[in-house]
Amino acid sequence: MLSRLGRFFVLSTSYIANYGYADGSGEYYVSIDSEKCNACGECIPACPMHIFQVEEDDYGDMAAVVKESHRKSLKYVCAPCKPTSGVRNLPCQKACKPGAIVHSW
Amino acid sequence: MTTQVEYWRWTESRYTNPEVDWRKASTITAGIDVGSVSSKAAVMADNEILAYGLMRTGSNSPDSALNAINRAIEGTGLTMKDIKFIVGTGYGRINIPFAGKAITEIACHARGANYIWGPVVRTILDMGGQDCKAIHCDEKGKVTAFLMNDKCAAGTGRGMEVFADLLQVPITQVGEMSLQVDKEPPPVSSTCVVFAKSEGIGLLRQGWSKNMVLAAYCSAMAHRVVTLLERIGMEKEFVLTGGISKNIGVVSRLEKELGIQAVPLPKDQKFDPQLAGAIGGALFARDLLAKSRKAF
Amino acid sequence: MITAGIDVGSKTVKVVILQDGKILARSLVLTGFEQGKAAEEAFALALKQAGLSAKDIQKVVATGAGRTSVSFATESVSDVAADARGAVFINPNARTVIDVGAEEGRGISTDTRGKVIDFAVNERCAAGAGTFTEAMSRAIEVKLEDMGELSLKSTQEIPLNAQCAVFAESEVVSLVHAKTSKEDIARAIHDGISNRIAAMARRVGVQNDIVLIGGVARNKGFVASLKRQLEADIKIPDEPEYVGALGAAVIAAS
């Protein structure tokens, strides 16, 4: 990706974005490391609940994000992919070659 | 004393920096932060804050943004035309028609805190009326990690309002009252505000004083935000912004639990820390303007 | 053999007295602030109804959030175990049990004997339990028991964006101010909570028969929303709030 190549020339910020929330019942976060994310978009079709999209961040780089509409309901949206449901290799993590996606559960 | 108590009370304000003459400035930019409770606008002349306005958010974002910027430039002689670039931020950022770009409040907050407190700031905890943000940033004010919790009322001003309302105590007195206890009670165990409220009612029935119940809730809130800070990686140079940062009951317990003190505001600082997002926006606007000029 | 099951919930205490697979009596009292006292009261009430005294009961099993406060119980079992057992006792075809109480929601998958295979719980957050509807009914000034009927009269689907009960309260108040009909708001409230309950049930795998229990099962508006969400038929026992207590009594007898 061009914007990624840009990192070699322009000192860009990398950050860990925690999308989600903690409520009384626990912590529900999907974290994306912008340094590892290459904005390939493989996570988009991989997620059965379509929670991801790739967009330009505040610093002008392209990165995967969790859609705004899903950020407040990750506990429910991501429930089918919880390890307790028998899903061991989460589809989003499997699809993400650089390993940028981490879940809090 | 009237029976109707206004629990969320603050005054709309504005400020002009007397040391800055905008007519001599080469670049004038602004940042407008439309939050769920208040709308803030900061105008910058080159690298100095020229003026700001702080208003209550109305029923729609474009009007709230316009009110805030008009309030900021009031009496300065500036007109909207003089402002070369505006960045919108906050909850209503995408609905500001005269903003050249929308940037998230996370990035603006980090940038603004860096300006207000200086490059030493690494961790920013913003506890607002309806959300709680924890941001980690570098010495340039660039975000290195963040989380924003606007799903759950626990850990927000809204949660504190529920307790103030339950105990019929003005929100501004909650902090002080919570410190007037002989012995620190154990924190309220429910995180959920709805359940915490029932727990509070139960404690009152057991004969707890209002101060004790407030102490238990303030300490629960402090504990809760500590867990948020742990997630993004806590460094000792931390600052607090947002409405709850004015609640000494939460702040002192938070500092105690973390074992460190928040970085104090610099002595010559004249700005309300609530302006952090708007100031960050104005700084981004300045950079974006410089970039576009360079492109020509 | 005569046994009793006591379900000490956050809002009410339920007691079922069972003799050889037949229900002799049941009682329900508000939990209030002293769970132990409420449990004694409910037990005494059920005994009176059955015309029995405490020594006639061979075994008392407690369940529910406050099960440890029942001093006269022989033993205690978890809510999920009691729910599954009770649901299968009533309906032997039950495979998915959804229990929505005042402060907790549960999705349970059970085998033919009422043994729990898997379960998911929503606790410590009011958004996924009956308290949510109760708080919203207060906000729109409608009696809780009227919420169901009201929502069935809704003519359009409107979204409720807030997940948190506290934020949703402000949202429904602003909907009322914007002249949205209370019927439509009531439906949006039920859609919101059933959406979360359905997601939790899907986590354990939804299989027929689906049995809905707990006090919230009496709310027709919620049931209609949940049916739409799950796109399946849902069976509701006649006395849905007693199923946990019944399950405890059945476990006591075995």
Side-chain angles (χ1 to χ4, degrees):
Chain A
M1 297 297 284
L2 199 62
S3 62
R4 290 296 118 174
L5 284 174
R7 279 189 187 280
F8 294 106
F9 306 108
V10 186
L11 188 64
S12 190
T13 311
S14 63
Y15 54 88
I16 295 164
N18 294 283
Y19 299 104
Y21 54 90
D23 67 13
S25 62
E27 290 197 354
Y28 308 94
Y29 292 104
V30 172
S31 306
I32 301 175
D33 186 335
S34 79
E35 189 171 37
K36 288 180 183 163
C37 175
N38 58 14
C40 67
E42 295 286 342
C43 52
I44 299 171
C47 173
M49 302 306 283
H50 316 290
I51 71 164
F52 297 103
Q53 68 186 37
V54 171
E55 62 174 38
E56 191 184 306
D57 70 12
D58 290 326
Y59 304 105
D61 293 323
M62 298 301 284
V65 302
V66 173
K67 286 182 200 165
E68 190 96 42
S69 54
H70 290 85
R71 289 179 196 169
K72 291 184 200 175
S73 52
L74 283 185
K75 174 184 178 182
Y76 303 101
V77 173
C78 291
C81 284
K82 282 196 170 189
T84 48
S85 307
V87 180
R88 290 288 172 266
N89 288 314
L90 302 181
C92 53
Q93 291 183 336
K94 218 159 63 183
C96 184
K97 302 219 166 60
I101 302 175
V102 176
H103 283 227
S104 65
W105 55 75
Chain B
M1 199 176 136
T2 54
T3 46
Q4 184 61 47
V5 182
E6 211 174 308
Y7 299 112
W8 190 266
R9 199 193 174 95
W10 48 274
T11 44
E12 297 184 334
S13 60
R14 68 165 311 285
Y15 163 83
T16 305
N17 189 343
E19 289 156 31
V20 178
D21 180 3
W22 64 269
R23 288 170 185 87
K24 288 182 187 151
S26 62
T27 316
I28 295 172
T29 60
I32 306 180
D33 178 359
V34 180
S36 57
V37 180
S38 61
S39 293
K40 286 84 61 175
V43 183
M44 242 175 155
D46 293 330
N47 202 26
E48 296 291 330
I49 302 288
L50 169 66
Y52 70 69
L54 173 63
M55 306 283 286
R56 204 173 275 271
T57 296
S59 57
N60 72 66
S61 302
D63 287 351
S64 304
L66 197 59
N67 284 343
I69 189 83
N70 280 338
R71 192 74 208 273
I73 61 178
E74 199 180 291
T76 57
L78 270 171
T79 64
M80 282 292 269
K81 274 204 306 271
D82 299 314
I83 303 170
K84 300 298 177 221
F85 202 99
I86 296 176
V87 160
T89 187
Y91 160 84
R93 66 181 178 277
I94 42 172
N95 281 321
I96 307 175
F98 44 92
K101 193 175 162 74
I103 294 179
T104 67
E105 54 270 42
I106 304 281
C108 288
H109 238 82
R111 189 79 189 269
N114 174 274
Y115 184 89
I116 295 174
W117 278 275
V120 60
V121 176
R122 283 296 168 280
T123 309
I124 302 146
L125 181 64
D126 177 58
M127 291 189 277
Q130 296 196 14
D131 64 17
C132 182
K133 295 186 270 284
I135 308 165
H136 196 277
C137 67
D138 66 11
E139 74 289 349
K140 293 194 184 74
K142 281 189 168 184
V143 176
T144 47
F146 73 84
L147 68 81
M148 176 164 157
N149 199 349
D150 58 354
K151 182 261 171 187
C152 173
T156 70
R158 190 74 191 83
M160 198 51 94
E161 275 180 47
V162 168
F163 260 74
D165 191 59
L166 170 71
L167 300 169
Q168 304 276 297
V169 168
I171 194 104
T172 47
Q173 289 172 27
V174 165
E176 277 299 336
M177 285 176 69
S178 79
L179 293 175
Q180 289 159 23
V181 288
D182 298 331
K183 205 178 127 247
E184 182 75 6
V188 169
S189 66
S190 312
T191 302
C192 178
V193 176
V194 177
F195 297 155
K197 189 179 164 185
S198 324
E199 206 179 318
I201 295 170
L203 294 173
L204 287 172
R205 283 180 57 110
Q206 282 175 36
W208 282 39
S209 67
K210 282 185 181 183
N211 292 0
M212 284 285 274
V213 175
L214 288 174
Y217 192 63
C218 286
S219 110
M221 192 176 263
H223 178 72
R224 182 182 160 79
V225 291
V226 167
T227 61
L228 294 182
L229 287 172
E230 278 164 357
R231 168 154 287 273
I232 59 150
M234 176 74 197
E235 276 187 63
K236 70 175 196 299
E237 294 78 12
F238 88 102
V239 297
L240 291 156
T241 62
I244 306 275
S245 68
K246 293 171 185 159
N247 180 323
I248 184 75
V250 176
V251 174
S252 63
R253 288 179 176 91
L254 179 66
E255 288 178 333
K256 203 170 156 202
E257 186 158 346
L258 291 169
I260 44 172
Q261 307 279 309
V263 177
L265 265 183
K267 277 204 184 64
D268 56 350
Q269 194 54 255
K270 311 165 210 69
F271 328 114
D272 190 320
Q274 263 189 294
L275 265 297
I279 291 173
L283 289 164
F284 269 113
R286 204 191 55 191
D287 291 356
L288 288 163
L289 189 64
K291 216 192 241 174
S292 70
R293 278 178 179 162
K294 224 182 268 175
F296 277 108
Chain C
M1 183 180 189
I2 305 176
T3 60
I6 302 192
D7 178 4
V8 186
S10 51
K11 202 178 169 192
T12 54
V13 177
K14 283 82 56 178
V15 173
V16 168
I17 297 178
L18 195 71
Q19 181 173 31
D20 306 323
K22 242 190 77 197
I23 296 172
L24 290 184
R26 41 172 174 244
S27 65
L28 182 145
V29 303
L30 286 175
T31 307
F33 290 93
E34 285 172 78
Q35 295 174 330
K37 250 195 175 153
E40 276 169 34
E41 203 184 306
F43 188 48
L45 200 67
L47 285 172
K48 202 176 148 199
Q49 258 186 52
L52 297 168
S53 71
K55 61 179 188 311
D56 299 324
I57 313 289
Q58 277 147 295
K59 210 171 169 191
V60 180
V61 170
T63 185
R67 59 181 175 270
T68 51
S69 61
V70 186
S71 53
F72 52 94
T74 329
E75 59 182 272
S76 70
V77 295
S78 71
D79 315 64
V80 283
D83 282 354
R85 200 62 180 269
V88 170
F89 181 82
I90 295 173
N91 177 354
N93 294 324
R95 289 301 165 270
T96 305
V97 182
I98 300 173
D99 176 4
V100 188
E103 292 195 357
E104 277 190 14
R106 280 174 225 117
I108 307 158
S109 78
T110 168
D111 69 9
T112 51
R113 288 170 303 150
K115 267 193 75 182
V116 176
I117 298 169
D118 194 6
F119 70 93
V121 187
N122 174 68
E123 52 178 357
R124 298 190 287 272
C125 171
T131 305
F132 185 79
T133 319
E134 198 181 338
M136 295 311 114
S137 71
R138 267 200 305 271
I140 62 170
E141 294 171 340
V142 168
K143 275 198 222 131
L144 178 60
E145 52 272 32
D146 296 341
M147 286 289 283
E149 287 291 346
L150 193 70
S151 74
L152 293 177
K153 293 189 198 121
S154 159
T155 52
Q156 63 169 327
E157 194 179 342
I158 50 162
L160 192 61
N161 298 313
Q163 302 277 334
C164 172
V166 174
F167 291 150
E169 222 175 292
S170 327
E171 197 178 333
V172 300
V173 168
S174 58
L175 284 172
V176 172
H177 288 165
K179 305 263 182 282
T180 310
S181 82
K182 288 194 179 175
E183 286 81 1
D184 292 340
I185 300 175
R187 174 177 168 176
I189 291 163
H190 292 131
D191 283 349
I193 175 172
S194 66
N195 186 1
R196 295 185 279 273
I197 297 291
M200 193 185 59
R202 279 193 214 101
R203 222 178 109 188
V204 297
V206 178
Q207 267 183 302
N208 284 329
D209 287 357
I210 306 164
V211 175
L212 177 65
I213 62 170
V216 182
R218 288 204 184 266
N219 179 330
K220 293 193 183 92
F222 168 73
V223 174
S225 287
L226 189 63
K227 276 185 183 163
R228 274 196 300 271
Q229 292 283 344
L230 291 175
E231 296 171 348
D233 190 35
I234 297 170
K235 306 254 195 284
I236 300 162
D238 291 338
E239 308 281 347
E241 60 272 64
Y242 289 99
V243 177
L246 174 66
V250 173
I251 291 171
S254 61

